[in-house]
Every structure is written in C-alpha cells, then in structure tokens.
Amino acid sequence: MRIFIYFFNSLILLSVHLSAQNLTNASVKNGKVVIQFDNGATETITREGEYNILAMSTQKNIIIYAKVDQKSKLMGEEGIGAYDQVSVHCYNTASAIDVTLFTTCLDEDGGTVPDYANSEAYPFNNICGLEKAILTNSADRLYFQTSGWVTCPAIHYYDLKENKLKFYRAGWLLGVTSEGVQVMNSAMETDRKDLGNSRRYTQKCLFDFDGKLIKTLSPKEY
C-alpha cells in the first residue's frame, strides 16, 4: 500500500513539474540545442551532430529543429546538386518526446520520399536542400522551402496533426500570417495578341493555407 501511494505521489509531482515548465526560448550553443523554461530551468539536447533551430511554439511547447545526419561529399563541385542530408525533428518539451518528421536527400539521393514525388505538381524523387521553415500560429503546420526548379524553389508543408508531408506550391516562401502564406510567385505570362510571345514574372502574393490565391501584394516584375 505504501509503495502504491509513493508511486502515485511521484506521478503527481512529475505531472506538476512538467506542467510548471513552459518553453520560453531555445538556441544552439556549441552545436547543441539549449532549451530555456519560464521557471529558469534549462535542458540540453546532447546527441551527436550539427543542429539548427527552424521554428518553435511557446504555446504548444514544441521545437522544430534540423540535425545534419551526413555531410555532402560533392560540395564545391560545379554542375552537381550537392546537399547535406538533414533530418527534421519535432521535440515536445512538456513530454520530452522527440519525433523525426522527415529527412532530406544526400547529394540528390535518398531521404524521405513524399506521396507526391514524381507527380505533375512535384516532378522530383525526394526533398533536397532545406532552406527555410515557418510554423503557423496554431503550430499545426510547418511550411518550408527546398530546392526545386531552375526558375524557383519548391514550398511544402508538414501537417503535424496528420503527421504527413504535403506539397504546397512553387515559389519563394516569404512568411506565414494568420491570413495565409506569403509567397513570391513565379509564373509565365502570354501575350494575348501574340501567343508565341511569353515572358516570366515574379509577384508577391498571399495564398490561403491550402494554396488558393487570396490577393496579390505587389506589382508584377518581369
């Protein structure tokens, strides 16, 4: 009976401890992720590898970070797609659960193969060259930019509720607001009077969270 009471009380104390610690900040120091809590406590992720914090939500107590798993062997060679292999993780500071969301390619080979790979929308085998990542305010989606076409990068998002990668659209990821996603869009324009005359332009646009155009935010630049 005493053992049970002691165990039950320990669970209560652990629960209080976890609920009392809320994430306030995270940074990379000496190659490790250092997490700060509102009660002054700190925690360090000490696994081997290089780290980069991509995004965080203090409301949801989650940190999205990237870890370099393998370094490119082709870096510096011209005309070759050279990419470090990076795994993207979601760490919940309240539960101390670390989940790998996806892994990028190593020199255009390997890594996570999304459902939309080799499709009309995304005609590539995998995901390479993670460049930028932004969490939505609700912290249920992680939008991120990777290498893509010659004319522009690709934008994807990871649905943290469905635990699934999804393709968003082509373009440069500029920001994520409560209204939607800001993108520097790249498109072709054809002269109505001369169908053989086409030219490419870029334009800052606001799309909804599923990729539907809401409004343009700047004039076209040719």
Side-chain angles (χ1 to χ4, degrees), residues 5 15 21 24 32 74 84 116 148 173 185 189 215 221:
I5 294 173
S15 176
Q21 289 196 129
T24 58
K32 308 300 179 185
L74 304 176
D84 293 339
Y116 50 83
L173 177 63
N185 192 39
E189 182 178 75
K215 60 183 178 181
E221 293 187 10

Side-chain angles (χ1 to χ4, degrees), residues 1-12:
M1 185 65 177
R2 289 180 180 177
I3 294 175
F4 175 77
I5 294 173
Y6 176 79
F7 177 71
F8 182 73
N9 288 339
S10 297
L11 287 177
I12 293 175

Side-chain angles (χ1 to χ4, degrees), residues 3 8 23 74 90 106 112 134 147 165 178 184 187:
I3 294 175
F8 182 73
L23 172 68
L74 304 176
C90 178
L106 174 66
T112 300
I134 306 174
S147 64
L165 275 169
S178 57
M184 184 62 76

Side-chain angles (χ1 to χ4, degrees), residues 132-194:
K132 185 177 184 179
I134 306 174
L135 267 175
T136 55
N137 293 336
S138 57
D140 57 358
R141 287 186 180 185
L142 177 75
Y143 288 85
F144 61 97
Q145 177 182 309
T146 67
S147 64
W149 295 263
V150 174
T151 53
C152 68
I155 303 174
H156 321 247
Y157 69 88
Y158 191 93
D159 192 315
L160 292 165
K161 288 185 176 180
E162 298 182 12
N163 295 317
K164 189 174 183 179
L165 275 169
K166 297 184 180 182
F167 180 68
Y168 186 66
R169 63 176 300 107
W172 289 266
L173 177 63
L174 300 179
V176 177
T177 70
S178 57
E179 293 183 279
V181 182
Q182 295 177 347
V183 174
M184 184 62 76
N185 192 39
S186 177
M188 292 294 293
E189 182 178 75
T190 302
D191 191 331
R192 294 182 180 180
K193 296 181 180 180
D194 183 5

Side-chain angles (χ1 to χ4, degrees), residues 4-222:
F4 175 77
I5 294 173
Y6 176 79
F7 177 71
F8 182 73
N9 288 339
S10 297
L11 287 177
I12 293 175
L13 288 172
L14 177 61
S15 176
V16 171
H17 171 73
L18 290 175
S19 62
Q21 289 196 129
N22 293 309
L23 172 68
T24 58
N25 194 25
S27 59
V28 176
K29 295 181 180 179
N30 298 319
K32 308 300 179 185
V33 177
V34 179
I35 304 164
Q36 296 175 312
F37 298 96
D38 58 357
N39 62 358
T42 61
E43 178 183 344
T44 303
I45 298 178
T46 58
R47 302 180 190 92
E48 293 184 2
E50 297 179 24
Y51 294 88
N52 180 32
I53 296 173
L54 302 176
M56 72 178 77
S57 170
T58 55
Q59 293 181 337
K60 294 290 185 71
N61 286 311
I62 62 172
I63 299 169
I64 308 295
Y65 70 92
K67 175 180 173 291
V68 177
D69 294 332
Q70 296 186 69
K71 300 290 288 184
S72 169
K73 298 178 181 178
L74 304 176
M75 201 66 73
E77 296 188 23
E78 295 184 5
I80 297 177
Y83 302 99
D84 293 339
Q85 185 166 61
V86 173
S87 56
V88 177
H89 300 251
C90 178
Y91 180 67
N92 188 310
T93 61
S95 63
I97 294 176
D98 191 315
V99 177
T100 302
L101 305 182
F102 61 93
T103 303
T104 64
C105 77
L106 174 66
D107 297 331
E108 296 188 336
D109 188 34
T112 300
V113 178
D115 292 344
Y116 50 83
N118 300 307
S119 65
E120 184 177 350
Y122 187 75
F124 307 102
N125 297 326
N126 44 20
I127 297 172
C128 295
L130 179 67
E131 298 172 3
K132 185 177 184 179
I134 306 174
L135 267 175
T136 55
N137 293 336
S138 57
D140 57 358
R141 287 186 180 185
L142 177 75
Y143 288 85
F144 61 97
Q145 177 182 309
T146 67
S147 64
W149 295 263
V150 174
T151 53
C152 68
I155 303 174
H156 321 247
Y157 69 88
Y158 191 93
D159 192 315
L160 292 165
K161 288 185 176 180
E162 298 182 12
N163 295 317
K164 189 174 183 179
L165 275 169
K166 297 184 180 182
F167 180 68
Y168 186 66
R169 63 176 300 107
W172 289 266
L173 177 63
L174 300 179
V176 177
T177 70
S178 57
E179 293 183 279
V181 182
Q182 295 177 347
V183 174
M184 184 62 76
N185 192 39
S186 177
M188 292 294 293
E189 182 178 75
T190 302
D191 191 331
R192 294 182 180 180
K193 296 181 180 180
D194 183 5
L195 298 179
N197 183 19
S198 298
R199 53 181 180 167
R200 181 169 292 278
Y201 68 89
T202 57
Q203 186 175 35
K204 186 177 179 180
C205 300
L206 178 68
F207 295 90
D208 71 13
F209 294 106
D210 294 318
K212 183 179 179 180
L213 179 65
I214 297 176
K215 60 183 178 181
T216 59
L217 300 174
S218 71
K220 295 177 182 178
E221 293 187 10
Y222 296 91

